[in-house]
Every structure is written in C-alpha cells, then in structure tokens.
Amino acid sequence: MSSLHLKKYDVCVIGGGYMGSAVALGLVNLGARVLVADKISNIQKASKANFGLVWSQSKGINHRPYSLWSQNAVRATRDFVKSLEEESTIDVELRLGKGMIACLGDKELEEKTQVIKRLHRAAASHGEEHPSQMLDHKEVQELVGKIPLGEAVTGASFSPIDGDLNPLLFLKAMRKVFQKKGGIFAHGCTVQAIEKNKENFVLATTQGKIEAPRIVMAAGHGNVDLAAMLDPNNPPEIPIVPEKGQLLVTERVKPFLSFPMSGLRQTECGTVMIGTTQEDTGFDVSTTVSVAARLSNRAIQIFPSLSNTRIVRSWGGLRVLTSDGLPIYDEIKGHPNAFVLATHSCVTLASLHFSLLPPWIMGKEKPKEIQPFNLERFHV
Amino acid sequence: MFKPFKPPANGKEVTIDFEGTLLEVSQNITVAAAVLGHAKKNFTRLSNVNSEKRAPCCFMGICHECLMEIDGIPNQQACLIEVREGMKIKRQLGHPGVEK
C-alpha cells in the first residue's frame, strides 16, 4: 500500500481484529472517513486463533449488565450477519439457536446447576427470565441425535439462543465490507508514537504519519503500549493480561454434531474442533502434549466414538483478558477522543460493537449499557 | 492429461491397486501423482459437503483436497505419501463417520 504520509481521517482505529473491524465498519456506516492500522505481529493474534462461539450462557454469572450485554449481542447477531453476508457475499456459516456445555460427573453437574440457578435468580429479581436451562443425560442425547453420548455425561447447560460461526470468514467479511464502503485498511501498519497537535492526534507509523481527531485503540494486548504512547511519563493503566487457550483439530469426518457444545464443535467442512484451555503462560503460545491428552480425553468421554478420529493440528492463542474478565469500553482519562476497547468475547459481542460503539465514538452520549465497562472501576 | 516432466530417476516401477485396477507407476512418486498421472477420471475424493469431485491442489499437505483411503485407512493425504509395492488405494467418497 502506498504511503499514508500526512493523511487525515475522521477516526483512526488501531487494530484490525474482530473489535477494530466491527467498530470500523460501524464508523464508515455513519459516514466517517476511517483508517484501520493493523500491524504484523510476531505473536498469534487473538482474532486468528478463535474458536467461533457466539455465546452468552456462561457470561456474567456475577455481573448482570455483562450477562445482558452478551445476551443482547447474541440476539443481534442474526441481523448483523445477514447484512454482512449480503454485502460481502461471504457465507460465515452462522448457526444460532442451540448451544450446550456438557457436564462430566456429578460434581460438574452440581456446579453448573448452581450457576444456572444463580443466573435465573438474578434475572427474576428484575422480573425477567434467563434463557438458559439444565438438561439431563437423556435430554442431551435427544438433542445431539444419533451419535451415542458417553456414560460420563451427567447433563448439560443449554441455551436456545447461543451458537457458532466460522471466525476467519466472519473477520474476512467485516474487513471486506469496511473497505467496500470506503474504509482504508492499512496492512502491516504499526503505530510507533502518538502526539497531539491543536486539533488532531498525529500517529507516527511504519507507513507514514496519520492525523485524526479521534483514535480508537482496539489492538488487544497492544493497547497497553498504545495507551502509554499518549503519556510516556505517566502511562494510563490498561489492565489486560494474556490468557492462553489451546485447541485441537481432527481430521474431517461425516457431520454428526449440528451445534456447538462449548469446547467441542464440528465445522461445516467436517473437522471437529476440541478446546479449549485457560492458561496463564504469559505470551507463550506453544502447544503441549499433556494439554492435548487432557482435551482429547474429555472429548472422548462426551462422545466415545471419537476415539477413532485422528488429530491433525493443534494450536495456541492468547485471549485478551481484563483483570476482572469484563470488557473495557472507555475514553482514556485526560485524553479526550482517545478510546480504548478490549474484551475476550469479540465474536459474540461484534453485533453490538458494530451498532452501539460508533455513535459514541463520534461524539454522541455514551450508551448506558456500556457504562459499567469503564476504566475507573479498576481504581477503587 | 498429466505427464511426468522428467523420467523417473531409477526407472524402477511398483504395482499399486487403484480401485481394483492394477497400475504400474514409478517408484518414489506420491500417491497423488500416481492417481493424476495414471488413472482415468483423475479425482481423489468427493466432497463431504456437496459431493463435488475434488483433486490434489497444493501437493504440499495444506489443502486436504487429496484425501484418499490407503490400505484401508481413510483421510490419508495422498500428496504426502509415496507409492509402495502392493498398495491399495481408493477414492474417498465423502468423509468417514466417527464410528469406523
């Protein structure tokens, strides 16, 4: 791409993953001139290692605003994806309406039952209903169909709204429509310094200088360093840590599972994805045999007939985890019009990132749904 | 349709069984090359998703278009496996189920 030297935009979005792409697409829809600066990273980007769940049932167990935010996002996904597919002509393989988390043994069943009860109580205290429910072994078997369920499966939590999609095609579709509508996507553009003149932020990048009155940090773990560029002597604190997830991919087999079971889903082309772990290993994304064994073992306990299916790939990626697990959507204190956005659930939440964040970024009032997800909560 | 662009190094041949037809093919070539170069109707599998005919594309283990059943084991990448004397090769008509 040609030099972006001294190019002026209305908004510069730093980071072209699910977060940056969804927000950038919403911004061009509002008529803004938008540049997305997406750097080449030597670590596995979170958006390239995603499992593809569109998921609400296990979110916000102790935080009702996050539970609602996730449910509303899942409910908005069908319409968002429909228009995305029409405009991009890419089928992102969305399936909504069934999502399950299998429980192995009595202890897991009891714990999951308590979680679902807590979600129901929290909803009931507001005169509402939470869509998730518990299923027993027989009900799980009826829903999965022909493939025999392992005896170790004692039940499952079930959501009638959750589902999955092909995460790479989803990302491709958002980027394609963004560019089709006039957005500039700068591949391999690394922001090296941020300064301010009278009206604009001036970004020094590997592809020249970019000026914009508004900047959006949507760079996952990179947000920490980007925020520090605003004030190197007194860097704003962005509490994000990496959390490693590993997953396995099997050879292609005949379709046997038509909906995601949390860490187990079969893609349209027949592979089974088996995940995923939650590990604190810093920025190390290597895969380990012990984890592969544990993941495979769990999958076989759910569907014993999978024991004949071979694993062909495994990979590790890094989630963008905030210190309390909830999203961050905020303007950085002392730096008006510099926004920071971060969450580990960027596929699930993309529909609302697309619709609700852009008007706020362009100067409208901050939506009340996202007010709990500020930076101030980390400073109490 | 496909021809070798240089003669085999040692001129030796092996006999393989492709869907019941015996083929004399050069040693040290892959199953994918043998199927494309020697068998008629050169395809290696039918898609699991839409039953279309598929043939080897990348020849380096990435595209998985060359999946075949080799010596009774399904989902083998024909582009990564060399022919052996007596090898039995079948086209893969859709993917195997999990219960083999």
Side-chain angles (χ1 to χ4, degrees):
Chain A
M1 126 151 257
S2 62
S3 171
L4 308 164
H5 187 63
L6 276 180
K7 287 276 176 64
K8 290 186 179 176
Y9 297 87
D10 296 324
V11 191
C12 176
V13 177
I14 309 167
Y18 301 114
M19 176 68 88
S21 298
V23 169
L25 180 55
L27 287 166
V28 288
N29 267 359
L30 295 176
R33 290 171 306 158
V34 184
L35 176 122
V36 171
D38 193 47
K39 79 168 179 178
I40 292 168
S41 175
N42 55 359
I43 60 165
Q44 175 82 294
K45 292 182 181 184
S47 291
K48 297 285 175 68
N50 190 277
F51 201 73
L53 295 180
V54 180
W55 212 248
S56 67
Q57 64 186 281
S58 45
K59 306 272 173 68
I61 292 158
N62 295 310
H63 197 277
R64 184 160 162 80
Y66 184 44
S67 173
L68 282 178
W69 181 243
S70 301
Q71 287 175 53
N72 291 340
V74 170
R75 289 198 172 96
T77 297
R78 194 181 301 280
D79 284 349
F80 173 53
V81 165
K82 188 166 175 267
S83 64
L84 195 64
E85 287 182 332
E86 280 169 10
E87 289 172 313
S88 67
T89 66
I90 294 171
D91 174 1
V92 306
E93 300 168 9
L94 177 70
R95 302 182 293 190
L96 288 174
K98 279 181 202 160
M100 207 185 262
I101 303 176
C103 302
L104 295 176
D106 293 332
K107 188 165 169 272
E108 276 187 33
L109 183 69
E110 177 56 25
E111 282 169 6
K112 186 55 82 183
T113 305
Q114 292 307 324
V115 164
I116 296 298
K117 274 187 184 161
R118 212 183 314 165
L119 287 168
H120 278 255
R121 275 199 302 269
S125 70
H126 291 78
E128 291 162 22
E129 276 181 33
H130 194 282
S132 298
Q133 62 179 99
M134 290 302 296
L135 303 177
D136 63 22
H137 180 98
K138 196 166 153 263
E139 291 166 320
V140 175
Q141 181 68 72
E142 275 165 16
L143 272 171
V144 298
K146 230 169 69 184
I147 185 168
L149 202 58
E151 283 175 15
V153 178
T154 43
S157 68
F158 175 80
S159 162
I161 65 172
D162 289 351
D164 63 359
L165 51 69
N166 181 321
L168 295 175
L169 291 176
F170 183 52
L171 184 61
K172 186 177 172 186
M174 287 196 289
R175 288 177 175 184
K176 184 177 175 185
V177 178
F178 167 70
Q179 291 174 92
K180 194 176 147 191
K181 295 192 166 183
I184 303 294
F185 194 96
H187 292 279
C189 178
T190 305
V191 174
Q192 296 162 312
I194 304 174
E195 290 176 358
K196 263 186 258 185
N197 64 23
K198 228 174 185 176
E199 292 154 357
N200 291 327
F201 292 93
V202 183
L203 278 57
T205 79
T206 48
Q207 295 178 9
K209 285 198 170 162
I210 301 162
E211 285 195 30
R214 297 164 196 278
I215 56 172
V216 176
M217 298 175 186
H221 295 291
N223 282 348
V224 177
D225 291 341
L226 286 170
M229 289 176 192
L230 288 171
D231 190 352
N233 297 320
N234 184 21
E237 197 193 334
I238 311 293
I240 305 173
V241 290
E243 183 189 69
K244 182 162 90 173
Q246 288 189 52
L247 61 91
L248 310 174
V249 179
T250 72
E251 61 184 327
R252 295 172 183 183
V253 288
K254 270 202 189 95
F256 68 91
L257 183 63
S258 63
F259 61 88
M261 293 179 73
S262 186
L264 193 64
R265 77 178 194 97
Q266 187 175 28
T267 67
E268 196 160 289
C269 71
T271 60
V272 183
M273 291 171 68
I274 300 169
T276 169
T277 58
Q278 298 174 348
E279 303 166 66
D280 174 11
T281 54
F283 286 91
D284 166 28
V285 292
S286 56
T287 55
T288 54
V289 174
S290 61
V291 162
R294 183 158 55 82
L295 291 174
S296 315
N297 190 30
R298 194 174 167 86
I300 290 168
Q301 286 191 65
I302 297 172
F303 294 121
S305 33
L306 273 180
S307 61
N308 293 321
T309 303
R310 283 161 293 170
I311 305 292
V312 295
R313 281 195 298 281
S314 69
W315 78 72
L318 296 175
R319 291 188 192 88
V320 179
L321 201 66
T322 59
S323 57
D324 63 1
L326 304 174
I328 295 172
Y329 312 113
D330 210 349
E331 211 168 0
I332 298 175
K333 205 175 174 189
H335 302 276
N337 293 324
F339 299 86
V340 61
L341 312 176
T343 169
H344 65 284
S345 295
C346 278
V347 171
T348 297
L349 299 174
S351 60
L352 296 186
H353 292 165
F354 161 80
S355 63
L356 290 185
L357 302 186
W360 162 58
I361 289 163
M362 293 309 290
K364 293 255 164 55
E365 202 179 328
K366 191 173 186 178
K368 66 176 188 322
E369 296 95 320
I370 67 166
Q371 282 172 7
F373 309 120
N374 54 43
L375 280 168
E376 229 150 66
R377 70 182 194 265
F378 300 107
H379 301 289
V380 288
Chain B
M1 179 178 172
F2 291 93
K3 287 177 190 154
F5 63 87
K6 61 178 182 184
N10 56 17
K12 287 185 184 166
E13 296 198 324
V14 294
T15 305
I16 59 172
D17 176 335
F18 174 69
E19 306 227 302
T21 307
L22 296 181
L23 303 174
E24 302 284 323
V25 303
S26 304
Q27 217 177 28
N28 303 329
I29 65 169
T30 63
V31 173
V35 170
L36 288 188
H38 297 265
K40 287 176 184 168
K41 298 185 197 165
N42 307 310
F43 68 98
T44 47
R45 70 181 184 102
L46 293 181
S47 160
N48 191 34
V49 177
N50 54 15
S51 298
E52 279 175 2
K53 287 179 184 173
R54 297 297 172 89
C57 178
C58 76
F59 284 92
M60 59 183 200
I62 302 297
C63 72
H64 286 68
E65 295 293 6
C66 65
L67 295 178
M68 302 191 83
E69 185 186 308
I70 299 175
D71 290 334
I73 305 173
N75 273 341
Q76 299 293 296
Q77 288 175 272
C79 74
L80 298 182
I81 296 171
E82 282 188 12
V83 291
R84 285 186 308 270
E85 181 64 35
M87 193 180 240
K88 286 189 164 58
I89 301 161
K90 281 185 182 167
R91 290 194 180 105
Q92 186 159 299
L93 309 178
H95 290 305
V98 288
E99 299 185 68
K100 289 169 193 141

